[in-house]
């Protein structure tokens, strides 16, 4: 609703991970470097953990885009599967048709043969599992057994686990120590600091086509950084709502007041102390809110 008003070609703060908006800020670039080095080593398991909204899925998708010519990827975005379902899903990703009645042992044997065939074609196989903290202990054990498949020279499949901090807690369990010991590379994503938040906002606006002056004041940036805790997803939500407010009020610069109103409308954002804020809907104007709701941009 505000794209034309700010001279934007694309929504700058969407919540869907979009590699076109990727920026090599320190935490994300370091994680990406670790992933690429680890894959080049050809050994074991790799783990990337981080709080909700810190950019794990974006990193996963960037890896798929950057290295699709060099590796054969299997991607599981939703791993809430039993061991049997997990093996079936991986087989489908690798172009292997399996009978529904096959048991885990038979499936693992067929996957073994398929992996040997793929590796002989010169493309190493990598399994990417997003939201890995949702895997059951039984499915984590099934993944460990899959990771054991190897020739005398190398592993037949590398496995990258992307997960929330709960994944680290799960792997600390005694019964999962065999899998934990097989993780040869790991990285923990941190939130963005203040300078990185400023750069992040500027970068996304520029990629979206903005060519005007500064939209955020120094104070509004400080409040947004504090409220979002440096988490990219929250930054996107607050910046999007602040742009809506700015458009609704016919302004070109986002004030502290607008940021605070966006905070008040966002459950996981931190409200500044001693602030009494009206709901966002009372400040946008009836027409702007009705339009936003119709377009599904208020979350």
């Amino acid at each position: 609703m505000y794209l034309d008003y700010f001279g934007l070609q694309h929504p700058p703060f969407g919540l869907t991970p979009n590699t076109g908006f990727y920026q090599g800020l320190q935490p994300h670039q370091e994680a990406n470097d670790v992933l690429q080095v680890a894959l080049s080593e050809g050994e074991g398991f790799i783990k990337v953990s981080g709080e909700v909204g810190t950019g794990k899925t974006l990193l996963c998708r960037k890896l798929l885009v950057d290295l699709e010519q060099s590796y054969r990827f299997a991607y599981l975005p939703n791993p809430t599967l039993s061991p049997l379902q997990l093996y079936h899903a991986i087989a489908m990703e690798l172009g292997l048709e399996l009978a529904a009645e096959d048991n885990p042992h038979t499936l693992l044997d067929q996957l073994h043969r398929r992996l040997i065939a793929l590796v002989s074609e010169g493309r190493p196989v990598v399994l990417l599992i997003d939201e890995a903290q949702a895997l059951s202990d039984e499915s984590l054990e099934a993944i460990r057994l899959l990771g054991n498949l190897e020739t005398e020279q190398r592993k037949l499949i590398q496995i990258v686990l992307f997960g929330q901090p709960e994944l680290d807690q799960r792997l600390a369990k005694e019964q999962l120590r065999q899998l934990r010991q097989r993780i040869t590379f790991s990285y923990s994503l941190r939130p963005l600091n203040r300078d990185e938040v400023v750069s992040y906002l500027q970068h996304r606006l520029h990629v979206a086509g903005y060519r005007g002056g500064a939209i955020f004041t120094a104070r509004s940036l400080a409040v947004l950084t504090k409220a979002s805790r440096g988490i990219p997803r929250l930054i996107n939500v607050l910046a999007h709502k602040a742009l809506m407010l700015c458009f609704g009020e016919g302004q070109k610069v986002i004030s502290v007041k607008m940021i605070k109103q966006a905070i008040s409308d966002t459950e996981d954002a931190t409200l500044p102390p001693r602030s009494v804020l009206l709901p966002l809907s009372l400040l946008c104007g009836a027409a702007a809110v009705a339009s936003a709701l119709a377009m599904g941009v208020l979350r």
Side-chain angles (χ1 to χ4, degrees):
M1 61 182 292
Y2 53 71
L3 297 187
D4 290 341
Y5 183 77
F6 288 106
L8 298 166
Q9 298 171 3
H10 311 284
F13 300 112
L15 297 185
T16 301
N18 183 343
T19 56
F21 282 94
Y22 176 81
Q23 183 184 16
L25 294 171
Q26 183 178 349
H28 300 104
Q29 191 56 47
E30 285 182 353
N32 190 49
D33 291 345
V34 167
L35 286 166
Q36 298 213 24
V37 169
L39 291 179
S40 69
E41 293 288 326
E43 287 287 341
F45 286 76
I46 307 160
K47 174 173 65 69
V48 176
S49 60
E51 268 297 343
V52 176
T54 49
K56 300 181 295 297
T57 299
L58 179 61
L59 277 171
C60 185
R61 292 186 181 180
K62 180 168 175 55
L63 203 64
L64 286 167
V65 170
D66 289 350
L67 301 181
E68 63 178 345
Q69 300 302 319
S70 302
Y71 296 87
R72 174 66 182 263
F73 285 105
Y75 175 44
L76 297 184
N78 180 18
T80 54
L81 305 169
S82 68
L84 191 63
Q85 292 170 328
L86 194 67
Y87 284 158
H88 269 286
I90 295 168
M92 288 181 62
E93 285 287 296
L94 297 179
L96 181 62
E97 294 186 6
L98 301 175
E101 63 273 11
D102 285 338
N103 59 52
H105 178 76
T106 302
L107 288 175
L108 192 61
D109 181 63
Q110 293 182 72
L111 280 169
H112 190 184
R113 282 178 278 148
R114 177 60 174 163
L115 290 170
I116 290 174
L118 288 171
V119 170
S120 69
E121 296 172 5
R123 291 181 69 190
V125 181
V126 179
L127 171 61
L128 305 176
I129 303 180
D130 205 0
E131 303 291 349
Q133 76 282 345
L135 287 163
S136 66
D137 286 358
E138 293 76 16
S139 292
L140 282 170
E141 174 63 11
I143 290 297
R144 183 187 72 81
L145 293 174
L146 183 64
N148 284 344
L149 301 179
E150 58 191 2
T151 65
E152 290 186 356
Q153 290 78 34
R154 59 166 296 149
K155 294 287 185 183
L156 289 174
I157 186 169
Q158 288 179 276
I159 299 171
V160 186
L161 303 173
F162 294 87
Q164 297 168 19
E166 291 84 351
L167 175 62
D168 298 323
Q169 298 168 12
R170 295 277 309 289
L171 292 173
K173 292 181 178 180
E174 179 70 12
Q175 64 265 33
L176 294 176
R177 66 188 183 281
Q178 291 191 70
L179 173 56
R180 183 173 66 247
Q181 290 174 3
R182 283 164 171 74
I183 297 173
T184 53
F185 291 86
S186 64
Y187 188 86
S188 295
L189 275 174
R190 63 165 174 81
L192 305 181
N193 61 37
R194 181 171 177 172
D195 289 342
E196 289 166 345
V197 171
V198 173
S199 178
Y200 177 87
L201 290 165
Q202 292 174 340
H203 172 79
R204 293 187 74 96
L205 284 166
H206 183 80
V207 171
Y210 183 71
R211 298 296 183 268
I215 289 182
F216 295 87
T217 67
R219 288 188 62 215
S220 66
L221 282 169
V223 176
L224 188 153
T225 300
K226 178 180 178 181
S228 68
R229 306 187 299 281
I231 296 174
R233 183 179 296 159
L234 278 177
I235 296 170
N236 283 9
V237 170
L238 294 175
H240 167 65
K241 291 179 178 179
L243 284 174
M244 286 177 53
L245 281 163
C246 198
F247 164 73
E249 296 183 10
Q251 301 297 315
K252 290 292 187 179
V253 176
I254 293 171
S255 65
V256 170
K257 178 182 176 182
M258 295 173 189
I259 294 294
K260 288 184 176 181
Q261 297 306 322
I263 294 167
S264 73
D265 194 63
T266 305
E267 290 189 7
D268 198 33
T270 305
L271 282 170
R274 297 183 299 279
S275 295
V276 179
L277 306 176
L278 295 174
L280 176 63
S281 58
L282 296 181
L283 296 177
C284 282
V289 172
S291 175
L293 290 172
M295 296 174 66
V297 297
L298 275 179
R299 297 177 174 86

